[in-house]
Amino acid sequence: MKIAVALIVGSLAVVFDTTIVSVALQTLSQQLHVPISTIQWVSTGYLLALGVSIPLAGWAQSRFGGRRVWMFALTVFLVGSILCSLAWNAESLIVFRIVEGFGGGLMLPLFSTMIMQAAAGRALGRTMSIVTLPFVVGPIVGPVIGGALLNWLDWRWLFWVNVPFCAVGFILAWRMLDPDATDARPRFDTLGWLLLSPGLVAILLGLTNSSQAGGFARTDSFAPLLVGALLLLIFALYSVRRAGNALVDVRLLTHRPLASASASMFLSGAALYGGMALLPLYWQQVRGADALHAGLLVAPLGIGALLSRPLAGGLSDRIGAKWVAFTGFAIVGLSTVPFALASATTSKWFLMAVLVVRGFGLAAVSIPLQAAAFVGLRRDQIPHAGIITRITQQIGGSFGVAVLAVILDIALRHRPGSAAQAAHAFDQAFWWAAGFTALSLVLSLLLPGRTPTEAVKQPEAIKSPETA
């Protein structure tokens, strides 16, 4: 719990920053006097910086210790946030967001890695119900905070709000995390990084560009996607040959719990993040809400997520991740259907009640998936698993947002005009989100059953990837 508190406070800065800025692009475009195509790089540059730094987290932890790397990454994120608040034009803001993204990319996988190493195999479901709190609540509360800041204060406060979380998180990390300085001197896998990071960046760039007019037919979409996929394939083959000396040990994907959880995370990222991207747009484009009110209308998701967290964590440990995730996906899918049937006049109160149910399902999915990924792994394997799960989530989420954006764009172009026509276009996109959820529902049956509630005491009880 001590470690969890220290890490959660710091991670809130990263989670809130991402979701707050997502609702501010239109305002930033107007106030910095640049088109949306330019200001979009405030988000794109941040996302690509994550792709550069996420693969470094495991090596950095082994080389310098988790506490040092966490405090370094938090400092980088703090400096980036302050610089963003002082930006004088769009170009400087984009550069400073890249600085933020580098720090955030180190923190995201390190967060789950340090928590799971401390848990040592005990009650993984209940552990994840605590530590995934920022990642469930952040995307819900963030748009509300962002809308309020834009409504009453200057856009620079979008970044000043990170400072207290970073400062307090740094102090807590200094006082509450154990100094884990290591004498290990692992050799940095330069070639692996030159394959993995550019490959990840290329895929994220291609998916981001595909959300614009033209979709996946755009040259700046399919070309980066092809290059990125090729680089990731070469890295996978290279990592297998390097055995345990690769930057990320992809052999761990022969371990069934991690493989099934990673595949489910990819599809759940497409279903959950894609759906989350549609909801505020629906309230704004179909129902005429501004940024603040759209954020408030999405907020019921958080109520449902908070209600299900204690239940989902305990059930994951008692009956296993498989059935909790299956039930969660079923709830998310069923609660997507009312939005796929909604018109421009459907009761807001009814849809907000549906969002409470959807939030309940979201938390019921995220907790068992995160817990299942680390079942049966040795302490030294956990950093690699943390990077693998973060990459699959990141790509899955970007894929879902891109696909649904393309579908929505095509539907809107075929149904121009009134709010009623826009509602029909959103219906199609929500049906696709429900389809992603249905695929996730089937895949969740491959997840492991009951997770251990006690620490594993015999090293031989933990299967290696080769014997899994």
Side-chain angles (χ1 to χ4, degrees), residues 1-7 67-68 70-71 74 114 166-180:
M1 286 302 300
K2 182 176 69 171
I3 293 173
V5 170
L7 297 180
R67 179 174 179 260
R68 290 180 179 178
W70 179 262
M71 293 171 68
L74 198 55
M114 294 176 69
C166 290
V168 175
F170 185 92
I171 294 171
L172 291 178
W174 175 53
R175 295 180 63 90
M176 300 173 71
L177 298 183
D178 295 329
D180 55 348

Side-chain angles (χ1 to χ4, degrees), residues 96-410:
F96 298 148
R97 281 283 285 171
I98 292 174
V99 174
E100 271 192 336
F102 185 84
L106 288 174
M107 292 171 66
L108 291 174
L110 196 59
F111 177 85
S112 57
T113 294
M114 294 176 69
I115 289 292
M116 299 313 291
Q117 287 179 331
R122 294 186 298 267
L124 299 184
R126 287 193 293 273
T127 300
M128 295 314 298
S129 70
I130 297 170
V131 301
T132 57
L133 182 64
F135 302 97
V136 173
V137 177
I140 300 159
V141 178
V144 179
I145 297 175
L149 291 173
L150 292 175
N151 194 47
W152 292 309
L153 296 172
D154 186 77
W155 66 265
R156 299 178 187 276
W157 283 95
L158 296 171
F159 304 100
W160 280 115
V161 76
N162 300 332
V163 173
F165 292 109
C166 290
V168 175
F170 185 92
I171 294 171
L172 291 178
W174 175 53
R175 295 180 63 90
M176 300 173 71
L177 298 183
D178 295 329
D180 55 348
T182 174
D183 294 329
R185 294 292 184 270
R187 188 174 181 179
F188 181 65
D189 182 12
T190 304
L191 179 57
W193 182 66
L194 291 177
L195 289 171
L196 180 56
S197 285
L200 182 55
V201 167
I203 286 180
L204 294 175
L205 178 61
L207 290 173
T208 300
N209 290 338
S210 67
S211 63
Q212 302 175 31
F216 291 99
R218 296 170 58 97
T219 303
D220 60 358
S221 173
F222 71 79
L225 287 173
L226 290 176
V227 171
L230 179 61
L231 288 174
L232 290 187
L233 176 60
I234 295 173
F235 173 79
L237 298 174
Y238 164 82
S239 175
V240 170
R241 295 188 62 184
R242 288 271 297 184
N245 297 318
L247 187 66
V248 179
D249 189 359
V250 300
R251 297 178 308 156
L252 286 177
L253 289 173
T254 62
H255 186 63
R256 180 177 170 179
L258 175 60
S260 58
S262 297
S264 294
M265 284 181 186
F266 178 88
L267 278 178
S268 69
L272 306 184
Y273 289 100
M276 279 294 297
L278 289 177
L279 288 171
L281 289 175
Y282 167 80
W283 290 118
Q284 289 175 301
Q285 296 187 21
V286 178
R287 310 305 289 267
D290 57 24
L292 175 59
H293 287 93
L296 291 172
L297 288 166
V298 175
L301 280 167
I303 298 173
L306 291 174
L307 290 174
S308 73
R309 295 187 69 77
L311 182 63
L315 285 176
S316 293
D317 291 328
R318 288 196 294 272
I319 67 174
K322 177 193 300 184
W323 298 113
V324 178
F326 182 89
T327 304
F329 278 124
I331 293 173
V332 172
L334 291 174
S335 60
T336 304
V337 172
F339 281 91
L341 298 173
S343 68
T345 58
T346 302
S347 168
K348 291 183 179 180
W349 291 106
F350 168 71
L351 294 178
M352 291 171 70
V354 170
L355 287 178
V356 174
V357 178
R358 181 178 173 83
F360 191 95
L362 289 176
V365 166
S366 64
I367 292 169
L369 288 185
Q370 291 283 353
F374 297 93
V375 170
L377 295 180
R378 300 191 308 268
R379 181 181 178 87
D380 62 295
Q381 295 171 332
I382 290 176
H384 295 275
I387 294 173
I388 290 171
T389 55
R390 173 46 56 181
I391 288 175
T392 55
Q393 281 182 305
Q394 201 74 52
I395 295 179
S398 298
F399 173 76
V401 171
V403 169
L404 294 182
V406 170
I407 292 168
L408 180 61
D409 179 66
I410 294 173

